[in-house]
Amino acid sequence: MPFTKLGLSTTLIQAIQEQNYQQPTPIQAKAIPLVLKGKNLIAAAQTGTGKTAGFVLPILQSISQQTEALRGKRVRALILAPTRELAQQVEQSIKDYAKHLEISSLAMVGGVDSEPQKQALIYGVDILVATPGRLLDMMYQRAVHFDQLDTLVLDEADRMLDMGFIDDINKIVDRLPEQRQSLLFSATLSKQVKQLAKTTIGDAVEISLTHDANNAPDIDQWLVTVDKDKKSSLLSHMINKNDWQQALIFIQTKHGSAKLVSQLEKRGIAAEAFHSGRSQASRTKLLESFKAGEVKFVVATGIAARGIDIEELNRVVNYDLPDQADDYVHRIGRTGRAGASGEAISFVSKDDFRNLCAIESRIGHLIERKEVEGFEPKKEVPISILNYKPKSKKGNGHYKNSKKTSK
Ligand code: AMP
């Protein structure tokens, strides 16, 4: 179905054409008509599916039809996002799509001076994209009021819950008018997300695309088994041997990221660390340089897993596997976005085995295993177990409900 059939105005269609989008992604085709009709929505959609345009375009359309003047410190639509990077990226998308409309937007995030954000709100802002903590702060300072609010969006709701924002979200939602349209987007619809939806969204149409393999971004996933102490030299070897031009490399800890950057540098590979210990300004700058291709290798901790949107990024490396299987899905979603193909490579040592089982059970299939000559592990990684359930009490290495599978 073409964009022109979704009920969007010609001005928005023009902006979409300027983005070179040929046709709506499946989530857009489903969500846009429903949001335009004013429905509440609960959508299970992974990152990289085009979900941002799925809610931003209809919101822009409805704001452009508003006749009531916006008063000072008021907003018409509020988008809550888990991380600063994601909030900034969503706000950038709004600017792109609203290019031919007189609609204002603001990203309100922590880690930067709040004064310019307060100033920007003085005459009201049509669409506010905020992280929960900073928004609460601003609410308590009476810098923002919600009596003109029509639409609430909870973006990456599962991530916001993981990050412990539930109380902040509830406090914010308490201040919103009951008469509003509410939309929730989440990679997963876990019990907790459904509970949040029940209290914040109310009656809603539920749409899900996560289990439709045809809509999954085209990502080639594989893993290399390797001993833990050889991971860094394996990485340098693969970068050099395959002449990688760029990669986003995920690692567990801040300390680990600094160490890996210096190990790579010793082998003549320039890399930068991206983690929460760096100031917001330097993170933003680093992302810009990475997008521009000036920085080739970024070693990031989990915080960066959301919110990085780089059109041409075609390689993600899980130097460590994440403890949460959902994080794996989000990480690999950094590549292969919107139909582009991508490659997600994980370095798996014996210590990563439990996380590997959890991830493979989460994605419902085994990840292809490879070995790299000269880096064959001395400590073997056991055969994977699908349908793995971690034992709830002691982490003693035994597995329940295990069905042995090998590839
Ligand atoms: P999202 O899942 O919203 O983070 O979007 C992922 C990427 O897809 C972004 O870089 C968008 O610019 C891009 N995108 C969104 N919609 C489309 C579309 N219909 N066609 C091509 N690319 C798109």
Side-chain angles (χ1 to χ4, degrees), residues 3 21 23-25 28 47-52 309 311 337-338:
F3 271 112
Y21 298 171
Q23 58 178 39
T25 64
Q28 290 164 1
T47 188
T49 53
K51 65 184 166 57
T52 313
D309 180 22
E311 302 271 333
R337 293 170 83 81

Side-chain angles (χ1 to χ4, degrees), residues 8 43 53 72 130 153 191 205 220-221 230 259 308 333 355 372 391 400 407:
L8 294 168
V153 180
K191 229 160 91 194
V205 182
D220 186 16
Q221 300 173 53
K230 291 280 170 347
K259 188 169 155 200
I308 295 183
N355 287 342
V372 174
K391 262 204 154 188
K400 228 163 69 179
K407 202 172 174 179

Side-chain angles (χ1 to χ4, degrees), residues 33-53:
L34 290 167
V35 183
L36 283 174
K37 275 193 201 136
K39 302 274 188 213
N40 290 339
L41 205 68
I42 299 170
Q46 302 204 355
T47 188
T49 53
K51 65 184 166 57
T52 313

Side-chain angles (χ1 to χ4, degrees), residues 261-319:
V261 164
S262 89
Q263 285 168 329
L264 290 173
E265 270 166 5
K266 277 190 196 129
R267 299 187 194 109
I269 299 165
E272 292 269 357
F274 185 95
H275 52 64
S276 56
R278 292 184 69 149
S279 73
Q280 186 56 34
S282 91
R283 275 152 68 179
T284 306
K285 197 159 157 249
L286 174 54
L287 272 191
E288 289 303 315
S289 313
F290 191 47
K291 283 185 192 184
E294 293 151 15
V295 171
K296 290 167 72 174
F297 301 102
V298 167
V299 182
T301 54
I303 185 137
R306 298 282 177 118
I308 295 183
D309 180 22
I310 298 162
E311 302 271 333
E312 300 291 323
L313 182 66
N314 51 19
R315 186 168 299 100
V316 162
V317 176
N318 285 305
Y319 189 88

Side-chain angles (χ1 to χ4, degrees), residues 62 70 150 188 204 257 261 275 281-282 290 314 343:
S62 102
L70 185 66
D150 294 317
T188 53
S257 69
V261 164
H275 52 64
S282 91
F290 191 47
N314 51 19
E343 182 175 47

